[in-house]
Amino acid sequence: MSSTAATSPTPPTPSTTSTPPGTPGQPAPASRPSALNISRTTATAARALRQLRHDPRTIALMVLVPCVMLVLLRYVFDGSPGTFDSIGASLLGIFPLITMFLVTSIATLRERTSGTLERLLAMPLGKGDLIAGYALAFGAIAVVQSLLATGIAVWLLGLDVTGSPWLLLLVALLDALLGTALGLFVSAFAASEFQAVQFMPAVIFPQLLLCGLFTPRSDMHPVLEAISDVLPMSYAVDAMNEVLKHTDMTTVFVRDVLIVAGSALLVLGLGAATLRRRTP
């Protein structure tokens, strides 16, 4: 009698196809937010303001330094008050821009080097929300800074302007916001706080020399004049000069203000596009 060999059941062949994401037992990958969200942006701004509240030295640097510089400038030209009237308004916009650039670039870089930025971006928070939140927080400081600096320049130091002081305030505020946007943008390319400060000669000093503060832009070399035409600080100085010379809002003033505001928005967009999670 032939014996039939008992065969053991063949083990199932493991499937080589991967389980599609989203099926039970496998979590779907989290998708990044694709658009700005007001609640996420305001929450980011509130967190940044809470951090600034515990750093009084930074607040003093942003709010008080432009005011102190204006007071020093006024009494440097104590014997010729007309000189202060001619350049004081321009510097009223330049000082906040420089201050906000320095503070914002260093503060944002500190967020990356400490790992805070990486933890924030691991949450359902888009880069646009983060940049807009920081811009909103530093913009609130810029409002206080511009109000204080404009009030001191006009009502305490006697800055003589033909137009409305509120137009001076508007330009000073836009300049501070532009400095904030530039600081957020360049912080993506710095690996340390020292490198962030090193960007100032490359980003701020050329604009300072070519903005028309020291000499009219029309008197410059044609090449330098053409370069100054694409620098936002040039239009900030032009807008301040329009307030000095005209009682009413002119079309040139409106053009200059729109260019400064548009430049700030453009740089903020570039800052969101180049934002990285960590410092290399």
Side-chain angles (χ1 to χ4, degrees):
M1 183 176 61
S2 63
S3 62
T4 305
T7 60
S8 60
T10 305
T13 303
S15 176
T16 58
T17 59
S18 59
T19 307
T23 56
Q26 180 173 350
S31 59
R32 301 300 302 166
S34 58
L36 283 175
N37 181 276
I38 295 179
S39 62
R40 294 194 299 258
T41 300
T42 53
T44 303
R47 190 193 66 84
L49 287 175
R50 285 194 300 268
Q51 285 186 329
L52 285 174
R53 186 180 61 185
H54 299 295
D55 192 356
R57 288 177 296 182
T58 300
I59 296 177
L61 178 64
M62 288 189 291
V63 175
L64 298 180
V65 167
C67 302
V68 173
M69 296 297 292
L70 286 170
V71 172
L72 288 176
L73 183 70
R74 167 64 181 84
Y75 290 104
V76 164
F77 298 107
D78 191 43
S80 55
T83 304
F84 176 71
D85 291 334
S86 62
I87 67 173
S90 299
L91 292 176
L92 179 61
I94 292 175
F95 286 158
L97 188 153
I98 296 175
T99 305
M100 296 303 293
F101 171 83
L102 282 174
V103 173
T104 306
S105 59
I106 293 175
T108 308
L109 182 64
R110 191 178 300 167
E111 294 281 75
R112 284 199 291 119
T113 55
S114 65
T116 302
L117 183 61
E118 186 175 3
R119 291 193 297 270
L120 288 174
L121 290 178
M123 302 167 60
L125 181 72
K127 293 182 179 181
D129 298 317
L130 187 67
I131 290 293
Y134 275 98
L136 187 61
F138 285 105
I141 302 295
V143 171
V144 178
Q145 179 195 74
S146 302
L147 280 170
L148 190 58
T150 304
I152 289 176
V154 174
W155 288 292
L156 182 62
L157 302 178
L159 180 64
D160 187 18
V161 293
T162 303
S164 171
W166 294 106
L167 297 180
L168 283 182
L169 173 63
L170 174 62
V171 181
L173 176 59
L174 289 176
D175 287 345
L177 293 176
L178 177 61
T180 300
L182 289 171
L184 290 171
F185 175 64
V186 303
S187 66
F189 303 98
S192 65
E193 295 181 11
F194 179 69
Q195 286 188 5
V197 175
Q198 285 180 316
F199 273 105
M200 185 174 175
V203 177
I204 300 298
F205 286 177
Q207 296 193 67
L208 188 62
L209 293 174
L210 301 178
C211 68
L213 177 65
F214 303 104
T215 184
R217 292 193 292 132
S218 58
D219 295 342
M220 298 178 184
H221 189 279
V223 174
L224 296 181
E225 183 181 0
I227 295 174
S228 71
D229 288 340
V230 299
L231 299 177
M233 191 183 291
S234 301
Y235 298 95
V237 171
D238 288 348
M240 288 294 193
N241 290 331
E242 287 293 308
V243 179
L244 286 177
K245 300 174 183 178
H246 301 89
T247 56
D248 299 325
M249 186 185 301
T250 63
T251 54
V252 176
F253 175 84
V254 174
R255 180 208 65 184
D256 294 337
V257 165
L258 290 177
I259 290 176
V260 175
S263 300
L265 292 176
L266 175 62
V267 175
L268 282 176
L270 293 174
T274 57
L275 185 65
R276 294 174 296 177
R277 291 193 175 192
R278 64 177 67 192
T279 302

